[in-house]
């Protein structure tokens, strides 16, 4: 053995011992990784509130019974004071309810011929219509029809019954 080999062996052996000791050194366990952070799912926003719906203003429903009849004297289609007061109330009702259209029915008592009562009923209904148009109600909302003596309100055969049958009667259409 040469001195060079001896020298090499002399420091190789300690080097191997050092490496063996380092290689066999007790390893300290690596710190375990932190558990994964799970994020809570984001809460879903509540559904948007429904948009407010626009509602039409409530309108009182009116019927034929809300209108006042206009009564007439025998063989006349001239509006009496009480008939004008009734028509004024009807005009206000029609102004307050602009979507309501009415039929004005002309009626007569049982006396007179069919033709005469048909014509008189027409003139009574027309007189009521003209009064309402003069009060500002659109003519297109008013329809006129005559029933003469065919549809009496009162069935008696006396002046009190006849008075109730001589009228302009309103029906909502």
């Amino acid at each position: 053995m040469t001195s060079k080999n001896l020298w090499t062996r002399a420091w190789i052996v300690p080097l191997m011992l050092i490496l063996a000791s380092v290689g066999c050194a007790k390893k300290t366990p690596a710190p375990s990784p932190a558990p994964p952070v799970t994020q809570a799912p984001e809460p879903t926003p509540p559904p948007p509130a429904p948009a407010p719906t626009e509602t039409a203003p409530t309108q009182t429903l009116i019927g034929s019974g809300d209108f006042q009849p206009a009564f007439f004297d025998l063989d006349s289609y001239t509006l009496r004071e009480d008939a004008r007061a009734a028509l004024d109330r009807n005009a206000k009702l029609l102004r307050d309810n602009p979507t309501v259209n009415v039929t004005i029915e002309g009626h007569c008592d049982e006396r007179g011929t069919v033709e005469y009562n048909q014509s008189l009923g027409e003139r009574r209904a027309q007189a009521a219509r003209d009064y309402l148009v003069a009060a500002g109600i659109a003519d297109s909302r008013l329809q006129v029809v005559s029933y003469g003596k065919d549809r009496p309100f009162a069935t008696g055969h006396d002046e009190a019954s006849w008075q109730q049958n001589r009228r302009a009667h309103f029906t909502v259409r």
Side-chain angles (χ1 to χ4, degrees), residues 56-162:
T58 57
Q59 184 176 8
T60 305
L61 296 178
I62 61 170
S64 300
D66 295 315
F67 288 91
Q68 300 285 315
F71 294 104
F72 294 87
D73 290 329
L74 177 66
D75 294 331
S76 174
Y77 58 94
T78 302
L79 294 172
R80 302 184 321 201
E81 194 60 38
D82 63 327
R84 291 176 189 270
L87 293 173
D88 287 338
R89 285 190 294 272
N90 293 347
K92 180 182 182 327
L93 196 57
L94 287 167
R95 276 193 292 274
D96 293 344
N97 298 281
T99 60
V100 172
N101 299 315
V102 294
T103 298
I104 304 170
E105 304 170 348
H107 295 271
C108 298
D109 62 33
E110 64 187 8
R111 297 172 289 179
T113 64
V114 171
E115 295 81 20
Y116 177 78
N117 284 334
Q118 191 70 26
S119 175
L120 184 57
E122 178 80 22
R123 285 179 287 188
R124 287 175 175 167
Q126 190 66 36
R129 186 202 70 78
D130 291 346
Y131 188 87
L132 292 176
V133 169
I137 305 302
D139 184 42
S140 61
R141 298 175 60 196
L142 308 170
Q143 182 179 12
V144 171
V145 65
S146 176
Y147 289 112
K149 60 181 179 180
D150 293 341
R151 295 185 181 185
F153 180 73
T155 56
H157 303 286
D158 54 16
E159 181 55 33
S161 298
W162 294 333

